[in-house]
Amino acid sequence: MTAMPAPPVSTTTVGSERRYRPELQGLRALAVALVVVYHVWFGRISGGVDVFFLVSGFLITGQLYRSAQRGAVPLSRNWGRQIARLVPAAAVVLVATVVAGLAILPEARWVQTVREVVASAFFLENWRLAADSVDYSAQHNTASVVQHFWSLSIQVQFYVVWPLLFAGVVLVAGRAHLDRTLTRVIAALFVASLAYSVVLTATDQPLAYFHSLTRVWEFALGGLLALWIDKVDLPARFRVLLGWLGVIGLVACGAVLQVGSVFPGFAALWPTCAAALVLLAGATGSRRGADRLLSSAPMRYLGDISYSLYLWHWPVLLFYLVLTGEPSADLEGGSSVIVLSVLLAVITYHLVEEPMRLRHKSRRAQYRLGALSVAVVLLATAGWQAVSLVRADHGAQIGDSTHPGAMALVPGYTSVSATDVAVDPLPPMVSLGEDWGRASGPWTCRADPARPPLESCTLAVDGTPERRVVVVGDSHSQQYLGALQPIAERNRWEVTAFLKGACPFSTASETEPDSAECIAWNTALVPAVIDLHPDAVFTMASREVRSGLTESTPAGFVEAWTRLSDAGIAVLAVRDNPRFDFRPPDCVQENGRGAPQCGAERNAWYPEVPSWVGAPGVPSSVRFLDFSDLMCAPDGQCPAEIGNVWVYMDDNHLSATFTASMAPVVEQRIMSAMGW
């Protein structure tokens, strides 16, 4: 039987890492330098990460194309090579972060950090942050020391999927005209991903920033360059111009654009296209070409250590800020951060990156190395989690004689003082960051099919409820669920909560001006509440209680109350709590319990006359509740802890434990205001 002839193989060459190595090294060096400098000295994002994505797409597409031309795509070998190159160094940084975090980070940040270290170990940090971006309670977490692993996670996910794409194309289409088939497939992915990125960035930018699918087009652009760059023949002078335009564009991107708030979308075309110009310029051979700078020995070496430098710079910066208590690094401090990061990167490159890559060349050894590296990280985080659990096992309960919380400020209460340094406060510091008023457990949540933007959660009762109360607004309304749930359970109230982060109940968007999403939510909310016709609606009466007597009652609040009042629905409007520029619990850990700088002075934060008094058009059916006397002591201080309970879980939200301690007073005042 005569063998069938093999299909013709395209002889097209693609951009190889060897031919373009100087420019690629220079691009990596420039990208990491921009990332580090912008992060450390300017507290901004540069767009350098997008360059990493394009370069990764360029490199792996060229490698896989050449493998496909030879007949097959070696999936296992490709994955093993990436494991040996990326995982050991990442594991070293993660373990070092765990050790340093246990010693340096405030306990309130431990749970968040452990959770993100585990996500980073499995290269899923971008999805962890994407989930947090749509979870308002998680959005108040302080920047994690491993937050920068989001980009590495996307990169590793790409390294897993891209070889599968090539293998699928070869399996379905064969090797004939492979370059054209791949071009069509990659171009389709480029267009689809870019379109999705633009749409999602416009509707939910925080989610879009960390979403893997909004970044595929950046890798695809690098892939298209790899397939066709060798066919581009440009005059030498024009290539010199392109090279410098690309370099200048990369440097200017972070200075001109607010990358963290507008990327990816169309805006991410800036750094990726700038990097593409540098690659198109290639080796110009001109003394005036940008490639001469990019291919210099220092830049090539910086490119070699760029991966380790990227891994180290962020935790070093965050630990520096924690130790100094400063919001940002000055020139001297930032320089120290950069020097230490470079030193750690050099050590990691020469003692971990290169030795592990060179010594583990068999696939079995590479996979074993990856598994061992991840196991070491998980073991370290398990130890940290064990310490956290021990610290969280307090033994005390809210409301006992040593932890009265808000009740310590109620006239006639005879127990411990507002703060007793001999008693550990509740909740334990290690779990304080999670002490958020949530509609969970007995609550049932559902979307409103008749009004698509709306979602609600209901605390129901068996049989007919005695009262129906609706809670509306943003997180400052939500925090009172800790008090309302026990009240509802005692009195057989049915409580329904319509809550949306950063969207107070108003006819306008108060927190994020002109937010169409918030306005649509509140527009749909009013008729939904009217349909329920509850006995009362619980919401906020004021906002922005800050130093300088800034409390206000926006006109949009009053208009929203009026719409309910016109429908015969009573409103319970609650005065806002103080908002700080720092986290009071962290301040206490740094300065000691009872430190006056960790709280507020009532006279400097709360106007003597509440902001709603004298506000035009307030309906007579609105009842106002002022719980500031439960947050501020008779001596005029509004401390970080009261009755041995932390008042705040972050810089502007009451802890669920504290609001639970308020329940007896909240219940009495609601009953009195409503005449129930």
Side-chain angles (χ1 to χ4, degrees):
M1 185 175 183
T2 305
M4 294 181 63
V9 179
S10 171
T11 58
T12 303
T13 59
V14 300
S16 77
E17 67 274 16
R18 292 182 181 178
R19 178 173 178 180
Y20 290 90
R21 181 176 177 81
E23 287 74 26
L24 291 169
Q25 290 292 83
L27 266 178
R28 275 198 291 245
L30 179 59
V32 76
L34 291 173
V35 167
V36 172
V37 168
Y38 273 93
H39 270 164
V40 174
W41 275 336
F42 303 109
R44 294 172 63 99
I45 302 175
S46 67
V49 167
D50 304 87
V51 178
F52 295 150
F53 292 162
L54 179 135
V55 170
S56 296
F58 183 92
L59 285 172
I60 195 171
T61 299
Q63 294 166 1
L64 293 171
Y65 180 84
R66 289 187 291 277
S67 296
Q69 280 187 314
R70 292 191 291 268
V73 178
L75 299 176
S76 180
R77 188 178 70 190
N78 273 284
W79 291 332
R81 186 167 57 237
Q82 298 301 338
I83 288 172
R85 186 173 70 87
L86 298 174
V87 177
V92 167
V93 174
L94 288 175
V95 171
T97 299
V98 169
V99 174
L102 185 59
I104 297 174
L105 288 179
E107 290 184 22
R109 295 175 60 176
W110 284 10
V111 173
Q112 173 202 357
T113 306
V114 168
R115 183 169 55 230
E116 293 194 23
V117 168
V118 172
S120 298
F122 289 104
F123 301 102
L124 297 171
E125 172 66 351
N126 68 304
W127 290 113
R128 173 72 265 170
L129 295 173
D132 287 350
S133 75
V134 296
D135 179 0
Y136 189 78
S137 65
Q139 292 176 28
H140 299 279
N141 288 340
T142 307
S144 163
V145 289
V146 294
Q147 184 170 298
H148 63 312
F149 268 76
W150 74 268
S151 60
L152 177 59
S153 298
I154 291 179
Q155 193 168 355
V156 169
Q157 293 160 27
F158 170 78
Y159 285 145
V160 171
V161 173
W162 210 242
L164 291 173
L165 172 70
F166 270 72
V169 170
V170 172
L171 181 65
V172 173
R175 289 183 289 155
H177 307 296
L178 183 60
D179 53 342
R180 296 179 185 176
T181 304
L182 284 171
T183 297
R184 294 190 185 101
V185 172
I186 295 175
L189 289 173
F190 173 87
V191 172
S193 173
L194 180 57
Y196 181 63
S197 177
V198 170
V199 171
L200 190 59
T201 300
T203 57
D204 192 343
Q205 189 274 331
L207 174 61
Y209 193 87
F210 299 116
H211 203 295
S212 298
L213 296 183
T214 64
R215 301 287 182 164
V216 170
W217 68 267
E218 300 180 65
F219 295 99
L221 180 58
L224 292 173
L225 279 172
L227 291 174
W228 295 98
I229 194 170
D230 287 332
K231 293 181 175 291
V232 179
D233 186 15
L234 300 172
R237 290 184 179 179
F238 187 58
R239 287 192 287 120
V240 170
L241 176 62
L242 288 184
W244 281 115
L245 284 176
V247 169
I248 294 171
L250 287 175
V251 173
C253 178
V256 175
L257 297 179
Q258 289 288 349
V259 173
S261 59
V262 300
F263 270 38
F266 280 124
L269 285 166
W270 182 328
T272 50
C273 288
L277 292 180
V278 174
L279 283 177
L280 286 170
T284 65
S286 171
R287 292 184 300 173
R288 299 179 179 178
D291 55 298
R292 187 177 184 185
L293 168 65
L294 296 177
S295 61
S296 63
M299 291 294 281
R300 290 202 305 272
Y301 184 73
L302 183 57
D304 287 337
I305 68 169
S306 61
Y307 174 56
S308 289
L309 179 55
Y310 179 79
L311 291 178
W312 279 114
H313 87 283
W314 184 254
V316 171
L317 172 62
L318 267 289
F319 284 131
Y320 166 84
L321 296 178
V322 171
L323 288 171
T324 60
E326 298 295 331
S328 60
D330 57 17
L331 182 61
E332 182 180 355
S335 300
S336 301
V337 168
I338 292 174
V339 169
L340 179 57
S341 300
V342 171
L343 178 61
L344 291 171
V346 169
I347 294 171
T348 305
Y349 175 75
H350 288 289
L351 297 185
V352 179
E353 264 197 84
E354 282 296 278
M356 294 298 101
R357 183 181 66 85
L358 296 174
R359 291 176 188 171
H360 297 79
K361 293 189 175 181
S362 72
R363 274 171 285 181
R364 179 176 297 179
Q366 290 168 342
Y367 283 96
R368 187 166 55 240
L369 174 64
L372 180 62
S373 298
V374 172
V376 171
V377 176
L378 296 181
L379 184 62
T381 54
W384 197 358
Q385 182 69 11
V387 175
S388 299
L389 291 174
V390 171
R391 299 284 184 91
D393 187 13
H394 201 295
Q397 293 184 346
I398 184 66
D400 64 22
S401 61
T402 58
H403 296 88
M407 296 301 294
L409 297 187
V410 175
Y413 187 86
T414 57
S415 184
V416 299
S417 61
T419 300
D420 184 349
V421 295
V423 178
D424 292 330
L426 285 178
M429 181 66 77
V430 70
S431 55
L432 180 58
E434 305 295 307
D435 196 38
W436 175 261
R438 302 178 190 274
S440 57
W443 295 77
T444 301
C445 300
R446 68 178 186 89
D448 187 336
R451 300 175 178 87
L454 295 183
E455 295 179 358
S456 64
C457 294
T458 300
L459 181 66
V461 298
D462 294 331
T464 303
E466 292 294 326
R467 304 286 181 187
R468 287 186 171 91
V469 176
V470 171
V471 182
V472 296
D474 61 358
S475 57
H476 280 241
S477 295
Q478 180 177 346
Q479 64 192 351
Y480 280 95
L481 295 184
L484 291 174
Q485 181 168 330
I487 297 171
E489 291 171 344
R490 277 195 299 270
N491 295 280
R492 291 184 49 78
W493 292 356
E494 179 184 270
V495 180
T496 301
F498 293 89
L499 300 165
K500 184 173 182 59
C503 187
F505 182 53
S506 175
T507 57
S509 179
E510 306 291 349
T511 304
E512 301 175 7
D514 302 321
S515 169
E517 189 176 2
C518 179
I519 292 173
W521 173 276
N522 278 324
T523 300
L525 177 57
V526 171
V529 173
I530 292 175
D531 285 349
L532 291 175
H533 204 84
D535 296 286
V537 170
F538 186 99
T539 189
M540 299 307 296
S542 65
R543 57 185 281 104
E544 292 300 312
V545 176
R546 298 183 183 274
S547 178
L549 304 177
T550 58
E551 182 184 30
S552 66
T553 296
F557 280 25
V558 177
E559 292 172 4
W561 302 339
T562 301
R563 293 181 182 181
L564 295 182
S565 179
D566 290 343
I569 299 173
V571 174
L572 287 164
V574 183
R575 193 174 198 180
D576 201 7
N577 57 270
R579 302 177 185 232
F580 300 86
D581 296 326
F582 58 91
R583 292 163 59 102
D586 291 353
C587 176
V588 170
Q589 278 208 308
E590 182 179 348
N591 297 284
R593 295 175 67 184
Q597 65 267 38
C598 298
E601 292 187 13
R602 182 184 177 96
N603 291 339
W605 293 65
Y606 276 115
E608 185 175 349
V609 178
S611 58
W612 62 79
V613 176
V618 175
S620 59
S621 61
V622 178
R623 281 78 161 177
F624 293 98
L625 302 174
D626 184 353
F627 300 120
S628 59
D629 59 325
L630 300 181
M631 304 169 201
C632 301
D635 64 1
Q637 295 296 312
C638 308
E641 58 173 307
I642 293 173
N644 300 318
V645 172
W646 295 112
V647 179
Y648 307 96
M649 52 86 63
D650 60 11
D651 60 354
N652 73 105
H653 293 96
L654 302 174
S655 73
T657 303
F658 186 76
T659 56
S661 77
M662 296 170 59
V665 178
V666 173
E667 179 178 6
Q668 183 272 323
R669 293 184 185 179
I670 289 178
M671 295 292 195
S672 175
M674 296 298 301
W676 293 345

